[in-house]
Amino acid sequence: MKEEIDREVVIEDYNTDGRIELTVMVEKDTSVEEWKSNSTATVYIRILDINDNVPTFAHRYYNGTILENSPKSIPVTMDYPEDILAFDLDAFENGTFELTIDGDDGMFYVQPSMIVNSGTIYVRVQDPLKLNYQVLPEVTFTVVATETETVEKWSSNTTVHIQLIDTNDNFPQWLDGSYNVSVLEGVSSGTSVSKVEATDADSGDYGIVYYYIFGSGATQFDMSETTGLMTVAGELDRESVDFYFLTVEARDDKGMGNRNSTTLEVHILDINDNEPIFGSDYYEEFIKEDKNAKPTFRRPFIVDATDADLPPNSDISYYIVTAEYEIITDGNFTINISTGEILTRTPIDFESMDPDTQDSVSPWYRHFELIVMAIDHGIPPLNSTTSVTIYVEDVNDNAPIFESEFYNGTILETDDSGTYITTVKATDADPTLYNSLISYRIVGAGIDKFEVGEKDGNLFVGVGANLDIEQTHTTLYSLNVMAYDDGTPRLSGSTIINITVIDVNNKWPEFNDSIYDAVVVEKSSLMEFIVQTFATDPDETHLLRYRVKSYDEGRDESNTVIIDNAIFDTWFDIDESDGTMFVNDTMVDRELVENIRMTVEVEDVNAVSPWLPQLATAKVYLTVLDINDNPPKFDEDFYTTSVQENIPEQTLLMIIRASDPDKGLNGTVRYKIVEEDDSQWQALVAMDNVTGSGRKIVIDSKTGELRVNGMIDYDCHLCEWINITVMAYDLGTPPLNSTVPIYIAVEDMNDNYPVIWNLPAAVKIWENATLGSEVYLINATDLDSGEFGRIGFKVDDSNSRSFTFEDVESGILLVGAALDRETVASYKVYIEAKDNYLSEFGPSLSISSTLDIVLLDVNDNAPIFDDTIALPFRIKETHDNGSLVGTVSATDADEPNTPNSQVIYYILQDEGNATDYFFIPNEAVGSIRSKSPLIGLYGIYTIVVIAQDLGEPPLNSNLTVTIYVEDVNLNYPVWHYPPTPLANESIRLMEKTLPGETVALVYATDDVDHGVNAEIYYQIADTLDGKYFTISRNNNNNTATIYTQERLLAYSDKKHYNFEVDALDCPGCSDSLQTRTAMRVYAISETAGDPQFDRESADEPYFERREHEEPFKVTLGSLPPAFYEDPEVVSEICYYIVGGDEKSEFGLNVLDEGKEVSLLQEEELDREAIENYELVVKATNCLVVPPGQAWDVDDDSLLLVRVHVVDINDQPVIFSKSNYSAGVTTGSTVNDVVTDQIRASTIDLFPHNIMEYRIVPDSWDNSLNYDYWAEEKRDPFTINNNTGVLLLNHNPRPDASGIFKFVVEARDPPVDLGPHTATADVWVYMLSSNNQVEFVLAMTKDEFRDKEDLFIEILEDVTQATAKVDEVTNYVDEANVVSDIYISVFVHFVQDNEIVPVLTILDIFDENEASLSPLYQEFNVYKIQDRSPRRPPVAKDGQAFVLALIIVSVILPIVIIVLLCIWCKEVKK
């Protein structure tokens, strides 16, 4: 050595790890030049460290701040300088020093407590109780750094000054321990109740107290946040709640700080605000009539009422009153003023009572209706009334009385048994069923010939009775009839009936002749005589009447039976008194009926029996004679036919037919052609269609055959048709005739060819002409007429696919297929024109012609890339800017040397960045070049090259070009684990670990380079402790595993090992690069077992944290440290959160090798996501990272840490629906509930979920049938601020209809992030009772509310209208009894903002009965009906059952007795 060497200077000057590299040359010392030679060798000198440096702080003085009462382990915030730095330039043990604090009275500690070479020092809280701003606002102390592994123990220090920051650490204190107050119920809102007061020792906002009340019923009161004055906010009702137990809370720091609470008892004092309430809305009792004395009830009849108030407000007196509430003292009944017992005051006669009070179901009762009033003794007194019905039972105290003392009757001697004679009737003054039920009986003479109806009093001829006067010689009978009632005892009355027997006539009439023959001429005049019939009757009292009984048969001329006699059954009639037959209708027609057979009948209308008439019949045969009354009639109204020109003579054209229904000569028909002097006939003569000597069309007079009688020529004017008239006439006297027109069409012949004219030499069209576009219009004509002059066009088959005609006759030539100039440039089209082309009328004539069609080029071909291009292209990342990457080329098939085939190139811009690096500088040449430097841009790039022609519009195609930018090794490996510098990372191994044990997994990457340049290999650097370890690269990734190479020493001999690891990329490459990192391995004593927590002596850690409270990253507090059970073990303890932290929202801060540990909040907390955390912390000996683990109370290495997230008002208010609807019937009154379904809520907790409701003032709208605001000066509805119940605030007009629309707002308390508000639309429909459908369901109200949405969905699906549930109540049946089984759901329906009538809805239900099946199944529908008014129910709950039981117990014995009596009577009979 030439001079003193300082290792630390060598490291700094040479940037090495403490080694000096020398090159030593040995040279052969000779004077001969050519013999001289030399050689070199490299010598490495490692400079070993000595302890020649003192631990040093970067600064001599540091300032910091911290909140008073900060939890243990919270770091002090250093203001200047920001970090405390200490270092010792010596290596390993010489550079290891410990840190201590002097002069802080145990308030703080430093972390880490030991540093190797250099490190950042944190000052943390040791004793939070000593951080009291009021006792010690600031503290100054010294941090000392002392070497631990050297003999010298060099040390140094720095001064730290810490300023404490005041916090809110005092709670409000109540002046009184608790509060007890009283207030009258019913006082108005704003009435003062009490004032509370608390003080706070803190100053500023921390010392100002705010007041809040909580508890059940807290919404009934308001408390001033600043004064503590409590006032009434809601309605106080002692009968609902007579006592409130509330909690009053005092808070500092503007209501967000510390809290203290006390109790507040509020007693509600009684006022007389409740009227007496009867036990029932309706009472009834039964009593028997007694017109001689006051009747009594079967048991005491008491109506009682209760009053919810306290005495004397609840003491009650009873009175019977009128409807105007005047007290009644002189009625039939009286009431005990104190007990409410009702007694009779006078005798009661059932028959004297109002018959209208008689019960329709139980008619043996009439009733009295009373009103009983109950009045309390409060001031002012309150009252209520109830209805009382007293049923009076009838008794049998009246005998039957006949309406007449005598009755008379008359019968015929021939009357059969059962013939009705007369009716007797008796009445009974008793109006009830059995007392007034009367039965009749004949007593004494005549019982064998007559019978009387037991129930109805009808008198009949008896069974087997002989009343023949010739046999009985009796014409008068007198009967005694008795009437009996059915009461007990049975009473009776009697009457006399006189009956007279009358003689009868019973002989039959007879005709003189049984058959009469006669004739009549058709169309005879009315009343024309035909024949007279005659009959006789031997009875003196006979009266004969004649009539036509029936028209038996009619036949026509051919002797065919006429099916329908109605044709002739009105032609004739007969004189009913003398039997003369005459004509009754001038329309007698022989052609319809020629022979008629009929039956005439005579009757003795004085016959004894109207149901057994005395009759006789005779036959009349009548012949109708013919007259000439019908002209001949042709078969058709006109005739048409056709004839070709030049047809041969005598050719039959057609046969004309006419018929005449008359008989003989009257029906013989002849034919002739009628002469016509018109212009058409004259033209026919002029053209020689008619010769001078006669017609060319003739007819046979007998047969009607129409024939040609000369040559007919078509080619003349007006010769297309020949029109004639034919007459048919009969041979009757006088003769009759008729005529018919005949139209004969003359047909043309085909004798002319079509002609095509003005056809061009060639036609040019674009090649992209669309299918069906017009090419050219071909014109052709033909001199013939009709089909012979009708021309059709077609294209020769060879080109028929490319071109076609629009239709056969138009001549418009169209494009028939896709054209392509590049495939076929021109066409020669052969066109044929043909007349009579359908060939339905003879031969066709045709000609052909040629048309040349030339296609014009359009730009319809895109450029096509050359498929021989060698892709992909490659270029190195170090390539020069503008270098050629590759060339592409493309061709275009459109017409050469035109813009349609000229190609340009460019790169398509895309969302990637490839176009930032490559471009095509010359658009006419497809050469791709680099656009910018490519360093670090290795990889695969894709660009899209567009080849585009210059046509209009331009067409293009694209080619995807892949470019490989090849990587060049330019970047050093980067360590991920362990990091570099080491930064206190350490590895732990058991002492005396054997070779081959895994030490650590290391990981480095070269993320910038690519391929082999990014492959990482590892080696242990040649350091002092490196001999203990070796490294092996893992397959298929860039990691490596370090193993022990030699056995480690005992813990007492060596506690840690320091060595270095190199990461090399591209091994074996000339440009390989490497990066080195340091490793440290700590030895662990073999005696160190698993650490454990002392859970018995320490409280379970519990922390509270307000959700969303900032800062999000904060220390929540210290945890009790774990320890080794063996006190001799001195080894580090590691901590892990192994359960309850699935979202990694918490962490641990471990200091002093595990002797101190605190819980950290790492993320923002949300109570609505998780309210309570149960974190499982595990303590280990640091050998392995433990897996996830659930809490196990028996595992002492686990610690359960609870964190409660405190709720704040941070969640929105949400209505259960976006809109609500309800209905109000026009019979409703103020304060009636409109709907209780308006609900808003939040998922926050109490008191943040307390809702306040209001109607938005400016939101009112309506579509009523009258001007509401002109009639009313108040809002139509109000809403309960606390419950959201909507109440009616006006009395609707009886004729009101339409809709109210408004908006309801709900909001939560104005604390934290509140208030939050939400709104909902409300529609209220004004309804009459006939606007609502009543659904009676067998279910409870709660069951219905659970499925109400399904109920509405089914109804709306069936009706296609909007269904609105207005009311859900207990069902009231037709007897006005409230059901405890069924409920009534009242619904109205809306369509197009109009109420749908109930009858329309019910009709829809009837038409869609099957669709309602789900409704019946899901909701147990009992009935569906329109809503009708109900009387107040007569009984409730058990009263209905008791009443029914009483009625059954009374009626059933009576019914049994009656049935037994009737049975006994029948047995006696």
Side-chain angles (χ1 to χ4, degrees):
M1 291 178 56
K2 293 169 55 178
E3 61 182 26
E4 181 180 355
I5 297 177
D6 189 339
R7 172 183 169 276
E8 287 72 37
V9 174
V10 171
I11 292 174
E12 182 177 359
D13 292 347
Y14 294 98
N15 192 25
T16 68
D17 57 357
R19 294 186 300 175
I20 298 177
E21 180 180 329
L22 303 178
T23 301
V24 180
M25 182 177 68
V26 60
E27 183 175 44
K28 187 176 183 180
D29 188 9
T30 178
S31 60
V32 180
E33 190 67 32
E34 59 270 17
W35 288 358
K36 288 182 178 181
S37 62
N38 60 65
S39 177
T40 61
T42 300
V43 178
Y44 296 95
I45 301 174
R46 180 177 296 279
I47 309 301
L48 301 179
D49 184 50
I50 65 173
N51 188 27
D52 58 350
N53 288 282
V54 177
T56 304
F57 289 93
H59 298 277
R60 299 301 303 162
Y61 194 86
Y62 293 88
N63 287 308
T65 57
I66 192 167
L67 292 173
E68 67 169 330
N69 303 318
S70 291
K72 185 177 180 180
S73 300
I74 290 296
V76 175
T77 301
M78 304 309 299
D79 298 331
Y80 179 80
E82 294 182 355
D83 295 316
I84 302 176
L85 302 176
F87 57 88
D88 189 328
L89 298 179
D90 292 323
F92 302 116
E93 289 84 351
N94 294 334
T96 302
F97 56 91
E98 67 178 359
L99 298 163
T100 58
I101 293 180
D102 186 20
D104 69 330
D105 194 23
M107 294 182 185
F108 304 97
Y109 69 92
V110 292
Q111 185 265 333
S113 61
M114 182 174 291
I115 293 178
V116 178
N117 295 132
S118 65
T120 300
I121 302 168
Y122 298 94
V123 178
R124 297 181 181 272
V125 176
Q126 176 67 33
D127 188 351
L129 298 178
K130 295 180 179 180
L131 299 183
N132 192 328
Y133 178 84
Q134 287 74 24
V135 177
L136 187 64
E138 60 183 12
V139 61
T140 302
F141 55 87
T142 301
V143 177
V144 181
T146 305
E147 293 179 349
T148 61
E149 305 296 326
T150 65
V151 176
E152 293 82 5
K153 306 293 184 184
W154 303 117
S155 69
S156 66
N157 61 66
T158 187
T159 300
V160 180
H161 178 78
I162 297 177
Q163 180 71 41
L164 271 65
I165 300 173
D166 190 22
T167 61
N168 186 17
D169 55 348
N170 289 288
F171 287 77
Q173 300 297 319
W174 292 101
L175 298 184
D176 295 321
S178 61
Y179 296 87
N180 193 313
V181 298
S182 299
V183 63
L184 285 173
E185 66 172 328
V187 297
S188 61
S189 179
T191 301
S192 296
V193 179
S194 177
K195 184 176 182 180
V196 298
E197 186 174 1
T199 61
D200 192 306
D202 289 321
S203 60
D205 288 338
Y206 296 153
I208 298 175
V209 179
Y210 291 78
Y211 304 93
Y212 305 90
I213 55 173
F214 305 98
S216 176
T219 56
Q220 297 295 104
F221 304 95
D222 282 334
M223 177 165 283
S224 171
E225 291 185 354
T226 56
T227 65
L229 178 64
M230 186 172 78
T231 58
V232 175
E235 182 180 355
L236 299 180
D237 183 9
R238 185 203 64 80
E239 289 70 36
S240 299
V241 180
D242 61 356
F243 172 75
Y244 293 90
F245 187 83
L246 306 176
T247 299
V248 186
E249 188 173 81
R251 304 177 186 172
D252 59 17
D253 192 13
K254 298 181 180 180
M256 304 298 292
N258 297 321
R259 310 177 182 188
N260 193 3
S261 61
T262 187
T263 58
L264 172 60
E265 299 181 8
V266 183
H267 299 269
I268 310 302
L269 303 180
D270 185 47
I271 64 173
N272 189 29
D273 60 342
N274 289 278
E275 69 273 8
I277 302 299
F278 282 97
S280 175
D281 294 335
Y282 178 81
Y283 291 87
E284 61 181 22
E285 189 53 272
F286 298 84
I287 193 171
K288 289 188 177 183
E289 69 169 323
D290 190 340
K291 51 190 176 184
N292 300 316
K294 292 189 294 184
T296 59
F297 294 101
R298 290 169 291 184
R299 57 179 177 274
F301 182 25
I302 299 173
V303 294
D304 59 335
T306 58
D307 192 312
D309 292 320
L310 298 177
N313 296 332
S314 60
D315 295 337
I316 299 173
S317 296
Y318 299 90
Y319 302 94
I320 297 175
V321 298
T322 66
E324 290 76 26
Y325 300 128
E326 296 177 355
I327 297 175
I328 299 174
T329 59
D330 57 352
N332 297 93
F333 300 91
T334 185
I335 190 168
N336 188 302
I337 191 173
S338 300
T339 66
E341 182 179 3
I342 297 176
L343 303 169
T344 56
R345 197 181 68 82
T346 63
I348 296 175
D349 183 12
F350 184 90
E351 290 73 28
S352 300
M353 294 176 63
D354 184 356
D356 291 340
T357 66
Q358 190 155 333
D359 195 291
S360 60
V361 178
S362 303
W364 49 88
Y365 291 104
R366 291 179 180 174
H367 64 270
F368 292 96
E369 297 283 355
L370 307 180
I371 299 175
V372 175
M373 175 184 289
I375 305 177
D376 65 21
H377 294 182
I379 300 175
L382 301 177
N383 66 77
S384 63
T385 61
T386 187
S387 297
V388 177
T389 300
I390 299 176
Y391 292 95
V392 178
E393 182 182 352
D394 182 37
V395 298
N396 191 25
D397 54 358
N398 293 281
I401 298 175
F402 280 96
E403 293 180 349
S404 176
E405 184 177 356
F406 296 97
Y407 290 86
N408 296 307
T410 301
I411 59 173
L412 298 176
E413 63 173 334
T414 57
D415 284 342
D416 296 328
S417 60
T419 299
Y420 170 80
I421 301 173
T422 188
T423 299
V424 296
K425 185 175 182 180
T427 57
D428 193 310
D430 291 317
T432 56
L433 179 61
Y434 296 108
N435 294 337
S436 62
L437 184 64
I438 297 175
S439 57
Y440 302 92
R441 185 181 305 167
I442 298 174
V443 179
I447 195 172
D448 60 330
K449 297 186 182 296
F450 303 97
E451 296 179 1
V452 67
E454 182 181 8
K455 300 299 183 184
D456 56 16
N458 292 332
L459 185 67
F460 298 92
V461 175
V463 176
N466 182 10
L467 300 177
D468 191 326
I469 296 175
E470 288 74 20
Q471 296 181 22
T472 61
H473 307 290
T474 301
T475 59
L476 180 64
Y477 296 89
S478 292
L479 305 179
N480 183 20
V481 178
M482 301 291 294
Y484 301 89
D485 65 21
D486 215 12
T488 303
R490 197 171 190 186
L491 306 177
S492 64
S494 64
T495 188
I496 300 297
I497 303 176
N498 294 316
I499 302 172
T500 301
V501 181
I502 300 174
D503 195 12
V504 297
N505 176 13
N506 54 2
K507 299 297 187 293
W508 292 67
E510 183 177 353
F511 275 102
N512 292 349
D513 297 307
S514 60
I515 297 175
Y516 295 87
D517 292 313
V519 296
V520 64
V521 177
E522 65 174 330
K523 302 296 189 300
S524 294
S525 58
L526 289 175
M527 304 304 296
E528 183 78 22
F529 173 80
I530 300 174
V531 70
Q532 183 174 18
T533 62
F534 185 76
T536 59
D537 189 318
D539 289 325
E540 292 183 0
T541 59
H542 73 268
L543 179 61
L544 301 183
R545 291 292 181 261
Y546 297 86
R547 58 178 172 268
V548 177
K549 180 181 180 183
S550 63
Y551 288 84
D552 300 330
E553 183 181 80
R555 295 178 181 267
D556 61 15
E557 181 180 357
S558 62
N559 203 32
T560 300
V561 176
I562 305 302
I563 301 301
D564 186 7
N565 288 354
I567 295 175
F568 55 87
D569 61 4
T570 61
W571 288 356
F572 313 104
D573 204 352
I574 194 169
D575 189 314
E576 69 172 1
S577 61
D578 62 6
T580 300
M581 184 170 288
F582 56 88
V583 175
N584 191 49
D585 190 341
T586 61
M587 298 307 295
V588 176
D589 190 350
R590 186 205 63 81
E591 286 72 34
L592 295 178
V593 184
E594 188 171 21
N595 295 289
I596 299 173
R597 177 165 52 86
M598 63 183 72
T599 301
V600 294
E601 184 177 65
V602 64
E603 178 184 4
D604 184 353
V605 296
N606 283 342
V608 63
S609 176
W611 57 85
L612 184 60
Q614 297 177 6
L615 303 171
T617 61
K619 298 294 183 181
V620 176
Y621 293 93
L622 185 61
T623 300
V624 181
L625 303 180
D626 183 51
I627 65 173
N628 189 23
D629 57 347
N630 292 284
K633 184 178 181 181
F634 288 98
D635 295 345
E636 306 289 343
D637 293 335
F638 63 90
Y639 293 86
T640 62
T641 186
S642 62
V643 58
Q644 289 185 352
E645 58 180 335
N646 303 321
I647 194 170
E649 290 188 18
Q650 296 305 309
T651 299
L652 178 64
L653 297 180
M654 61 191 311
I655 300 175
I656 307 302
R657 299 289 189 190
S659 59
D660 190 321
D662 287 327
K663 195 170 184 179
L665 292 177
N666 294 337
T668 302
V669 179
R670 295 291 183 263
Y671 303 93
K672 67 179 180 178
I673 294 176
V674 179
E675 294 292 343
E676 301 234 10
D677 185 16
D678 56 29
S679 59
Q680 187 190 47
W681 182 257
Q682 295 302 320
L684 187 64
V685 172
M687 297 306 297
D688 201 25
N689 278 343
V690 178
T691 64
S693 60
R695 297 176 182 274
K696 295 300 182 180
I697 305 296
V698 295
I699 190 168
D700 189 293
S701 63
K702 293 183 180 181
T703 64
E705 293 178 350
L706 200 65
R707 295 182 181 272
V708 176
N709 195 39
M711 184 63 67
I712 296 176
D713 184 6
Y714 176 82
D715 301 322
C716 67
H717 182 60
L718 299 178
C719 292
E720 291 87 349
W721 288 86
I722 300 174
N723 301 329
I724 62 175
T725 301
V726 173
M727 175 186 288
Y729 56 92
D730 61 26
L731 301 181
T733 302
L736 302 176
N737 65 76
S738 62
T739 60
V740 67
I742 299 175
Y743 307 101
I744 304 172
V746 181
E747 297 179 353
D748 189 21
M749 303 295 289
N750 188 16
D751 53 0
N752 293 285
Y753 283 84
V755 176
I756 297 176
W757 49 277
N758 292 337
L759 193 66
V763 175
K764 294 182 180 181
I765 64 172
W766 293 102
E767 65 170 320
N768 64 344
T770 59
L771 291 178
S773 61
E774 182 175 343
V775 177
Y776 190 77
L777 174 60
I778 309 298
N779 291 302
T781 58
D782 190 308
L783 296 178
D784 289 322
S785 62
E787 292 297 325
F788 296 139
R790 186 177 178 185
I791 301 173
F793 299 90
K794 72 174 183 176
V795 177
D796 182 68
D797 291 343
S798 62
N799 291 317
S800 61
R801 295 185 180 180
S802 298
F803 301 95
T804 185
F805 281 97
E806 181 179 51
D807 57 56
V808 176
E809 296 185 20
S810 69
I812 299 175
L813 187 63
L814 306 178
V815 175
L819 305 178
D820 185 10
R821 187 205 63 82
E822 288 71 32
T823 302
V824 180
S826 64
Y827 294 87
K828 186 176 292 292
V829 180
Y830 296 94
I831 298 171
E832 180 185 23
K834 182 179 181 180
D835 66 10
N836 192 25
Y837 65 89
L838 296 177
S839 300
E840 295 181 353
F841 300 93
S844 298
L845 302 176
S846 65
I847 63 169
S848 297
S849 187
T850 303
L851 177 64
D852 289 331
I853 299 176
V854 179
L855 301 186
L856 301 177
D857 184 43
V858 296
N859 189 25
D860 58 348
N861 288 279
I864 303 298
F865 279 96
D866 184 0
D867 57 3
T868 63
I869 300 172
L871 294 176
F873 298 144
R874 296 179 181 272
I875 187 172
K876 290 186 178 297
E877 66 174 324
T878 55
H879 211 292
D880 294 335
N881 189 26
S883 297
L884 177 64
V885 178
T887 301
V888 297
S889 62
T891 57
D892 193 306
D894 282 322
E895 188 171 355
N897 303 319
T898 67
N900 292 343
S901 62
Q902 293 180 13
V903 180
I904 62 172
Y905 304 88
Y906 61 90
I907 296 175
L908 180 65
Q909 296 290 331
D910 58 13
E911 296 180 356
N913 58 2
T915 53
D916 294 338
Y917 309 132
F918 307 100
F919 75 115
I920 296 177
N922 185 354
E923 68 177 9
V925 180
S927 296
I928 304 170
R929 295 184 179 274
S930 61
K931 186 177 183 180
S932 61
L934 301 176
I935 299 298
L937 301 176
Y938 62 85
I940 301 174
Y941 294 85
T942 300
I943 62 174
V944 177
V945 178
I946 303 297
Q948 180 174 297
D949 61 28
L950 300 180
E952 287 295 338
L955 301 179
N956 63 67
S957 60
N958 62 74
L959 176 66
T960 300
V961 177
T962 302
I963 302 174
Y964 288 173
V965 177
E966 298 178 347
D967 182 45
V968 178
N969 193 18
L970 301 174
N971 301 280
Y972 286 82
V974 176
W975 281 98
H976 297 283
Y977 184 82
T980 181
L982 193 56
N984 295 326
E985 292 289 336
S986 59
I987 302 169
R988 296 164 179 81
L989 287 178
M990 193 68 68
E991 63 175 334
K992 304 175 185 177
T993 298
L994 297 176
E997 293 295 329
T998 300
V999 177
L1001 181 73
V1002 295
Y1003 177 42
T1005 61
D1006 185 348
D1007 293 332
V1008 180
D1009 287 323
H1010 183 65
V1012 68
N1013 295 329
E1015 293 183 6
I1016 306 298
Y1017 289 80
Y1018 304 88
Q1019 65 184 17
I1020 302 292
D1022 187 12
T1023 57
L1024 184 63
D1025 290 340
K1027 65 181 180 179
Y1028 291 99
F1029 305 97
T1030 184
I1031 191 167
S1032 175
R1033 184 177 187 272
N1034 298 321
N1035 294 329
N1036 302 325
N1037 56 41
N1038 281 335
T1039 64
T1041 304
I1042 299 176
Y1043 301 93
T1044 53
Q1045 185 168 266
E1046 295 183 8
R1047 176 172 177 164
L1048 301 187
L1049 302 178
Y1051 178 79
S1052 59
D1053 295 332
K1054 193 171 182 64
K1055 295 183 175 60
H1056 51 77
Y1057 301 81
N1058 298 302
F1059 61 98
E1060 295 173 333
V1061 180
D1062 293 329
L1064 306 89
D1065 63 11
C1066 194
C1069 300
S1070 59
D1071 55 353
S1072 176
L1073 302 174
Q1074 74 174 43
T1075 305
R1076 179 170 293 181
T1077 188
M1079 300 287 293
R1080 178 177 297 158
V1081 176
Y1082 284 91
I1084 298 176
S1085 173
E1086 291 178 339
T1087 60
D1090 290 331
Q1092 61 187 26
F1093 291 98
D1094 183 8
R1095 298 202 299 257
E1096 294 183 358
S1097 60
D1099 293 335
E1100 182 181 83
Y1102 175 81
F1103 303 96
E1104 282 192 357
R1105 180 74 168 163
R1106 284 165 59 89
E1107 61 174 332
H1108 309 301
E1109 185 174 358
E1110 296 182 347
F1112 300 144
K1113 297 184 181 294
V1114 67
T1115 300
L1116 298 181
S1118 300
L1119 303 180
F1123 60 91
Y1124 288 104
E1125 188 174 8
D1126 184 355
E1128 299 297 326
V1129 175
V1130 180
S1131 186
E1132 184 179 7
I1133 299 176
C1134 294
Y1135 299 86
Y1136 302 90
I1137 298 177
V1138 296
D1141 187 25
E1142 288 75 10
K1143 297 183 179 180
S1144 302
E1145 295 170 293
F1146 300 93
L1148 299 172
N1149 186 23
V1150 182
L1151 303 173
D1152 198 10
E1153 297 185 345
K1155 296 177 183 175
E1156 297 179 9
V1157 59
S1158 56
L1159 180 65
L1160 305 178
Q1161 176 186 326
E1162 300 285 359
E1163 302 290 343
E1164 180 181 5
L1165 301 181
D1166 183 3
R1167 185 203 66 81
E1168 285 72 33
I1170 301 177
E1171 184 174 4
N1172 293 288
Y1173 294 86
E1174 293 187 349
L1175 306 177
V1176 181
V1177 178
K1178 186 175 181 64
T1180 72
N1181 59 12
C1182 302
L1183 283 177
V1184 294
V1185 176
Q1189 185 175 350
W1191 168 247
D1192 183 357
V1193 70
D1194 297 326
D1195 187 348
D1196 290 336
S1197 69
L1198 301 180
L1199 178 68
L1200 186 63
V1201 181
R1202 302 182 189 272
V1203 180
H1204 173 67
V1205 183
V1206 179
D1207 182 56
I1208 68 171
N1209 186 14
D1210 64 330
Q1211 295 298 314
V1213 174
I1214 301 174
F1215 275 98
S1216 60
K1217 297 179 180 179
S1218 61
N1219 57 76
Y1220 298 86
S1221 63
V1224 173
T1225 59
T1226 52
S1228 302
T1229 59
V1230 172
N1231 290 330
D1232 280 356
V1233 173
V1234 178
T1235 178
D1236 59 358
Q1237 296 302 303
I1238 299 176
R1239 294 284 187 272
S1241 62
T1242 176
I1243 60 175
D1244 281 328
L1245 302 179
F1246 179 85
H1248 303 140
N1249 59 2
I1250 298 174
M1251 291 295 137
E1252 180 181 352
Y1253 299 88
R1254 75 183 185 107
I1255 296 175
V1256 178
D1258 297 332
S1259 67
W1260 293 105
D1261 189 15
N1262 72 77
S1263 60
L1264 299 185
N1265 60 344
Y1266 68 97
D1267 187 349
Y1268 173 83
W1269 301 109
E1271 297 187 11
E1272 299 282 354
K1273 305 303 180 185
R1274 54 183 173 177
D1275 292 342
F1277 306 97
T1278 61
I1279 193 167
N1280 187 297
N1281 297 112
N1282 299 322
T1283 65
V1285 173
L1286 191 67
L1287 303 175
L1288 190 62
N1289 196 37
H1290 72 288
N1291 293 317
R1293 283 180 23 172
D1295 63 337
S1297 65
I1299 309 171
F1300 282 102
K1301 305 175 185 177
F1302 52 93
V1303 177
V1304 172
E1305 180 186 77
R1307 67 177 221 162
D1308 60 13
V1311 297
D1312 299 328
L1313 304 180
H1316 303 94
T1317 63
T1319 60
D1321 295 328
V1322 180
W1323 289 27
V1324 180
Y1325 293 84
M1326 304 305 295
L1327 310 170
S1328 61
S1329 61
N1330 60 0
N1331 288 140
Q1332 293 176 305
V1333 180
E1334 180 181 11
F1335 295 82
V1336 183
L1337 314 177
M1339 61 194 324
T1340 66
K1341 297 178 184 177
D1342 291 338
E1343 290 173 342
F1344 172 76
R1345 288 298 187 192
D1346 290 342
K1347 300 196 294 184
E1348 183 175 350
D1349 290 343
L1350 176 60
F1351 182 80
I1352 293 174
E1353 179 183 347
I1354 295 173
L1355 293 181
E1356 292 183 346
D1357 184 56
V1358 173
T1359 62
Q1360 297 300 304
T1362 303
K1364 306 293 183 183
V1365 175
D1366 299 322
E1367 185 181 359
V1368 181
T1369 64
N1370 282 49
Y1371 170 59
V1372 180
D1373 63 15
E1374 289 75 5
N1376 292 299
V1377 176
V1378 178
S1379 172
D1380 55 1
I1381 299 176
Y1382 298 103
I1383 64 171
S1384 291
V1385 179
F1386 298 101
V1387 181
H1388 73 271
F1389 293 83
V1390 179
Q1391 196 168 56
D1392 298 329
N1393 292 332
E1394 296 291 339
I1395 303 296
V1396 182
V1398 170
L1399 294 180
T1400 301
I1401 295 298
L1402 295 180
D1403 289 342
I1404 294 173
F1405 287 167
D1406 291 339
E1407 296 169 0
N1408 298 273
E1409 186 174 355
S1411 301
L1412 287 175
S1413 295
L1415 190 76
Y1416 282 87
Q1417 296 170 1
E1418 289 289 338
F1419 294 90
N1420 299 323
V1421 179
Y1422 170 56
K1423 67 169 74 172
I1424 302 175
Q1425 60 190 11
D1426 59 337
R1427 183 173 192 174
S1428 56
R1430 295 280 196 275
R1431 288 187 295 143
V1434 299
K1436 290 184 176 178
D1437 303 331
Q1439 293 180 352
F1441 175 75
V1442 172
L1443 176 61
L1445 192 61
I1446 293 173
I1447 293 174
V1448 171
S1449 62
V1450 172
I1451 294 176
L1452 188 58
I1454 296 175
V1455 171
I1456 294 173
I1457 293 172
V1458 170
L1459 292 175
L1460 288 174
C1461 293
I1462 293 173
W1463 179 77
C1464 291
K1465 292 178 182 179
E1466 294 299 322
V1467 170
K1468 290 180 181 179
K1469 286 184 179 180

